[in-house]
Amino acid sequence: MTESFTPTWMIDAIYRLTPEQLQAQGIKAVLTDLDNTLIAWNNPDGTTELHDWLERMNEAGIPVMIVSNNSAARIARVAEPLNLPFVSRALKPLTRGLNEAVTKLNLQKNEVVMVGDQLLTDIWSSNNHGVRSILVKPLIETDQWNTKINRFFEKGVKKQMLKAHPELQWRTTLD
């Protein structure tokens, strides 16, 4: 039962990913959730750490694309100033959004990774689509009201998943 919700890796923050780590895994692009993964849900401008990380990815030629269940207007508020492409209304855990992103990037599924903070949307969607995934810790402890519902159900799923996969631990690298 937990296989659908099991990430490939668990990293404490998206900003820990380096171009070298991604390239070593054959990853050519990063698909990322928006709220509490790329930015804190209540800070649409992001942090200096975010801007520095995006600059490193850009310099290495690794595109970053937002794949979110949010509306286009909500994502654009963040994505446009950062010059990031995005897929809105991705319908995660369905695969529509990931399929659209992979197609837009003109890459194969094994050349991208999906990064997100939720097992029941980001990781499940990745596994449904056959894309490797990285679970990250939420950037902040609070969530929007609709995410709180997912977090409630996710607690039990996460506990079972970690019990079934003791090799999965929070790390700072993909190694």
Side-chain angles (χ1 to χ4, degrees), residues 158-170:
K158 189 180 219 174
K159 185 176 179 181
Q160 289 180 350
M161 182 272 294
L162 290 172
K163 185 176 180 183
H165 294 278
E167 74 280 5
L168 284 174
Q169 302 287 323
W170 291 114

Side-chain angles (χ1 to χ4, degrees), residues 95-96 98-100 102 109 124-131:
T95 61
R96 185 196 71 78
L98 289 178
N99 187 54
E100 184 178 331
V102 171
K109 292 178 188 180
W124 195 7
S125 178
S126 300
N127 289 335
N128 284 338
H129 196 55
V131 169

Side-chain angles (χ1 to χ4, degrees), residues 9 17 37 54 73 102 110 133 136 142 156 168:
W9 297 281
L17 295 173
T37 298
L54 288 172
V102 171
N110 66 343
S133 59
V136 294
T142 62
L168 284 174

Side-chain angles (χ1 to χ4, degrees), residues 145-162:
W145 70 269
N146 54 338
T147 304
K148 289 179 184 180
I149 297 166
N150 272 359
R151 296 270 189 230
F152 173 79
F153 291 107
E154 187 176 85
K155 283 181 185 176
V157 172
K158 189 180 219 174
K159 185 176 179 181
Q160 289 180 350
M161 182 272 294
L162 290 172

Side-chain angles (χ1 to χ4, degrees), residues 41-54:
W41 70 269
N42 59 359
N43 180 10
D45 297 321
T47 61
T48 302
E49 192 174 21
L50 165 66
H51 294 270
D52 292 346
W53 180 76
L54 288 172

Side-chain angles (χ1 to χ4, degrees), residues 5-36:
F5 308 104
T6 302
T8 311
W9 297 281
M10 290 172 42
I11 305 291
D12 58 1
I14 194 170
Y15 312 135
R16 299 270 193 173
L17 295 173
T18 67
E20 297 79 19
Q21 290 172 37
L22 296 168
Q23 291 162 344
Q25 297 295 330
I27 296 168
K28 297 180 179 179
V30 175
L31 309 178
T32 179
D33 181 46
L34 181 62
D35 293 322
N36 273 349

Side-chain angles (χ1 to χ4, degrees), residues 80-94:
E80 288 175 0
L82 298 172
N83 198 30
L84 293 178
F86 64 87
V87 174
S88 62
R89 299 285 185 221
L91 302 176
K92 297 177 289 182
L94 301 177

